[in-house]
Every structure is written in C-alpha cells, then in structure tokens.
Amino acid sequence: MRSPVLEKFVLGVGAVLAVAVVAGCGQTAPQGSGGEAGETAAETTAETTAETTAATEVGSTPELEAASESYGEYVVDETEDLVDATDRFTGAVISGDVERAKRLYAPTRVHWERIEPVAASLGDLDPKIDAREGDVPEEEWGGFHRIEQALWEENTTEGQEEYARVLMADVEALRTEVEGLDLEPSDPVVGSIELLNEVSAGKITGEEERYSHTDLYSIAANIEGSEAAFRSLEPAVEGEDPELVQEIDDRFADLYATLEPYRDGDGWVPYTELDERERRELSQSVDALAEPLSRVGQVLQA
C-alpha cells in the first residue's frame, strides 16, 4: 500500500520531468492541450508518471528501513524548528511589530519548505498553513500567506492576530502528527524529487511568495530538503549504482552554484531582482537534478 506522500508524488513527478524536457530546449511549456508541443508534453508526462509509479515501489530492506528512519528524524527536527520559529513570528504579529514580523517571515517558512511533501500529506493542515489566495474559499483562507499579504501589501498586522493564533495552533498540530508518523521505505525517494517538483511546477514563477517576493528562501529550502532526503538514501544507492550517486552530487553542486549569486547575507535577494534569463537558468538547473533523482527508485526497486 502506498503512503500518502507517494500518492502525491506519483501525480506530480511526471510534470517535473515534462517541464525538464521543454526547459532543456529553452522553451516554456504551452498552456492548454492545443498544439503539437502541448500534446508532446502531455504524452511525456503520462509516460513518465507510469514509469515512476513502478520505479518508486521499492521493497523494504534494512538499508531502506534505515533511510526512512533517518529521514523521519530529519522531518521531526525540522518540525520542531518550525514550531519554535512560528512562535516567534506569530508573537511579532500579535504584538503589532510589523518590521520584526517581516524579518521573521521567510526564515520561519524555510522549515516548512524543507519538509513540505510530508507535511502536505497530513490531512487538511497543508491548506490551513500554506494556502495562497484563491486556493481555498475566502472565508477559509488563513495561514502564512494571509499574514504575508497584510504585512507587505498593507504594511500592518492589524486584524491578523487571530490568523496568527490559528496558524500557531495548526503548526503545533503538525508537530503532533509528524511525531506519530511511520514513514515508508519509499518516502525518502518520494521526498527528494517531490521537493524539486515544488520548485519547478510552482515556485519558479514567483507565485508562492507573491507579496513578499521571498521566493528564493523557499526555493533554497526545497532544494535543501531534497538533498536531506537523498542523503538518507545515499548508502543504499551507493551500493547499487555509485555512478548515479556521483551524478546527483554533481547536479546538487551545480544547482547550489546557480543559486549562490543571489545570496544576501544570511538570506536571499528579492525574487523580483532575477530577470527571465536568470529564472530560466535556475529552472533548468533544477530539472537537470530532477532527472537523475528520478532514477533512484529504479535502482532501489526490489
């Protein structure tokens, strides 16, 4: 039986690799189903999804059990850090300290973004914590992005106190769920690629942090979380295909090198400072890593 994380992954990984095919040609995937290029992308998505569904059905071995345990510990640690950081962030919102809340917003969300595939699999906590405007009915919209809108568009915390309290309660509920979560051997495989899907299918457009433009914090965190998931699997993969491990290492290094020029102290420049060419280069670097990562499941398949 597939874990909830795996179910989400199967639906999303094909889209990542379809984007990779198009991005490698320096083009943007067309919208809709019209045209030969759109049909080709759709066919690639369907074929890749079918292949990956089988490839991620890894068996339970001592190495993979150890990997899932290691990845589970990482998820728990990041969730604890998320609770602590959210407490500081929501405290600033409730006290009316706009500038402090702005400073804490992106670093707080880093911990969520590192574990997003697991967190997003746990019932309705994902939309409560991370929904963007329009993702849910207006009367249900809360969480980080509701507060983000007030901080950057209105430069105020007024009226956000209750949203902050509910956000804190939801993050604490997430901690409870994560502490009782029993990850499957396939979950680190899924987590490593699904985090790149988050970047390639959504964040690269700048839609995620549409008010604060702190997208690079989220993008970097997704990549860091992807690497953590892979590192838990590395000993098992090394024993089967050391060349694949080296290729993935090289692609991670390339991706971090692509990000490096946009550092700003301990953080990142606003995403609006990147032009179309720079965003495209970042997207292509993400897709170049997603391709060899997608082969990990095949290597570990029982």
Side-chain angles (χ1 to χ4, degrees), residues 171-246:
V171 168
E172 288 175 337
L174 175 67
R175 172 171 58 185
T176 300
E177 292 286 340
V178 165
E179 287 174 348
L181 189 62
D182 185 16
L183 292 181
E184 300 291 332
S186 59
D187 285 339
V189 182
V190 173
S192 64
I193 187 69
E194 177 62 14
L195 281 158
L196 296 184
N197 180 35
E198 288 290 333
V199 177
S200 191
K203 294 183 176 66
I204 210 72
T205 64
E207 293 180 2
E208 178 81 2
E209 311 292 350
R210 61 184 67 167
Y211 312 111
S212 62
H213 305 301
T214 56
D215 303 83
L216 285 174
Y217 285 82
S218 297
I219 289 170
N222 282 162
I223 295 165
E224 290 160 357
S226 176
E227 183 176 18
F230 172 69
R231 294 304 171 199
S232 71
L233 293 161
E234 186 174 6
V237 182
E238 181 75 39
E240 299 293 334
D241 192 341
E243 291 182 359
L244 178 59
V245 171
Q246 185 60 58

Side-chain angles (χ1 to χ4, degrees), residues 265-277:
D266 293 333
W268 303 92
V269 301
Y271 198 54
T272 47
E273 292 190 14
L274 277 67
D275 61 27
E276 189 61 34
R277 177 189 59 80

Side-chain angles (χ1 to χ4, degrees), residues 53-285:
T53 300
T56 53
E57 295 287 1
V58 298
S60 179
T61 66
E63 292 84 359
L64 289 175
E65 292 289 348
S68 62
E69 182 177 348
S70 173
Y71 184 51
E73 291 171 356
Y74 172 80
V75 171
V76 169
D77 288 345
E78 285 297 325
T79 306
E80 289 289 348
D81 290 342
L82 175 64
V83 170
D84 292 342
T86 303
D87 184 50
R88 292 189 291 272
F89 170 67
T90 56
V93 173
I94 292 168
S95 70
D97 192 335
V98 173
E99 293 309 312
R100 176 171 167 77
K102 284 183 176 180
R103 288 195 304 272
L104 293 175
Y105 171 79
T108 298
R109 284 183 49 75
V110 160
H111 303 292
W112 166 270
E113 296 291 349
R114 286 174 179 159
I115 60 169
E116 191 166 4
V118 174
S121 73
L122 301 175
D124 61 354
L125 287 173
D126 178 35
K128 286 182 176 180
I129 292 170
D130 197 41
R132 297 172 299 179
E133 186 178 15
D135 288 345
V136 296
E138 176 68 20
E139 64 273 14
E140 297 177 14
W141 185 37
F144 279 115
H145 294 301
R146 180 106 198 194
I147 299 171
E148 177 201 10
Q149 182 190 54
L151 288 173
W152 271 272
E153 286 215 328
E154 302 170 26
N155 199 41
T156 186
T157 61
E158 186 176 349
Q160 301 303 304
E161 297 84 357
E162 185 58 25
Y163 293 123
R165 293 187 182 95
V166 172
L167 173 60
M168 188 68 238
D170 288 337
V171 168
E172 288 175 337
L174 175 67
R175 172 171 58 185
T176 300
E177 292 286 340
V178 165
E179 287 174 348
L181 189 62
D182 185 16
L183 292 181
E184 300 291 332
S186 59
D187 285 339
V189 182
V190 173
S192 64
I193 187 69
E194 177 62 14
L195 281 158
L196 296 184
N197 180 35
E198 288 290 333
V199 177
S200 191
K203 294 183 176 66
I204 210 72
T205 64
E207 293 180 2
E208 178 81 2
E209 311 292 350
R210 61 184 67 167
Y211 312 111
S212 62
H213 305 301
T214 56
D215 303 83
L216 285 174
Y217 285 82
S218 297
I219 289 170
N222 282 162
I223 295 165
E224 290 160 357
S226 176
E227 183 176 18
F230 172 69
R231 294 304 171 199
S232 71
L233 293 161
E234 186 174 6
V237 182
E238 181 75 39
E240 299 293 334
D241 192 341
E243 291 182 359
L244 178 59
V245 171
Q246 185 60 58
E247 183 178 359
I248 292 171
D249 283 346
D250 291 344
R251 294 294 176 267
F252 269 117
D254 290 345
L255 183 48
Y256 285 128
T258 303
L259 276 172
E260 190 61 31
Y262 311 119
R263 281 197 179 275
D264 182 17
D266 293 333
W268 303 92
V269 301
Y271 198 54
T272 47
E273 292 190 14
L274 277 67
D275 61 27
E276 189 61 34
R277 177 189 59 80
E278 291 169 321
R279 294 187 187 195
R280 184 170 60 251
E281 288 176 352
L282 179 56
S283 177
Q284 290 171 343
S285 190

